[in-house]
Amino acid sequence: MGEDSGNTAFITIARLAKVQGRVGEISAELYTDFPERFEQRRTLYAWTPESGERRELHLEEFWPHKGGMVFKFEGVDSIEEAEKLLRSEIQIPAQERAELEPGACYVSELLGCLVLEVSGA
């Protein structure tokens, strides 16, 4: 989920799945438990795994739709422009992710950990 670009690590919070509408809206699968943070978080980054390119985007509008979210980005005003972003991962710098309550952790922090099953009688 994290990707390192230079000195900044990024975290994926959504994936752009399909064009929604005719003026550049894009439906996304959410990978965040904090969708309400889009209200304050207007600068996002689209990372394309195939090319490794990351593009800064500015969120104009967003709204929930069928268990996901629809995004409208500044400068993405047509179906053709929206299609260029499909399958991109929407990311934020890791240092901007939501602070968790004490004792909680992100799944990405558990990757690579050894898990032991302990059974008792």
Side-chain angles (χ1 to χ4, degrees):
M1 285 252 181
E3 204 49 51
D4 189 30
S5 175
N7 294 330
T8 305
F10 288 84
I11 302 296
T12 297
I13 59 172
R15 188 180 70 81
L16 300 178
K18 67 178 188 169
V19 174
Q20 182 77 30
R22 296 182 181 196
V23 292
E25 298 104 333
I26 307 170
S27 177
E29 301 168 357
L30 291 180
Y31 301 148
T32 178
D33 291 331
F34 306 100
E36 68 279 1
R37 296 211 35 174
F38 289 116
E39 193 61 50
Q40 294 83 35
R41 181 178 282 133
R42 295 304 177 127
T43 300
L44 301 169
Y45 298 86
W47 180 65
T48 307
E50 294 83 25
S51 67
E53 292 180 21
R54 185 173 285 109
R55 172 181 170 187
E56 183 175 310
L57 297 171
H58 298 280
L59 188 58
E60 233 176 60
E61 296 181 62
F62 67 96
W63 58 93
H65 182 69
K66 295 185 178 180
M69 193 70 71
V70 175
F71 295 124
K72 171 64 177 87
F73 298 107
E74 289 178 15
V76 180
D77 299 316
S78 69
I79 292 172
E80 293 76 24
E81 290 170 346
E83 286 175 337
K84 293 175 186 176
L85 291 170
L86 292 182
R87 292 172 298 286
S88 294
E89 295 182 14
I90 295 301
Q91 299 183 327
I92 59 169
Q95 69 268 16
E96 292 181 13
R97 66 183 170 182
E99 191 172 318
L100 300 177
E101 61 188 51
C105 62
Y106 284 100
V107 171
S108 61
E109 296 171 333
L110 298 174
L111 296 176
C113 290
L114 178 62
V115 177
L116 301 173
E117 181 179 349
V118 178
S119 59

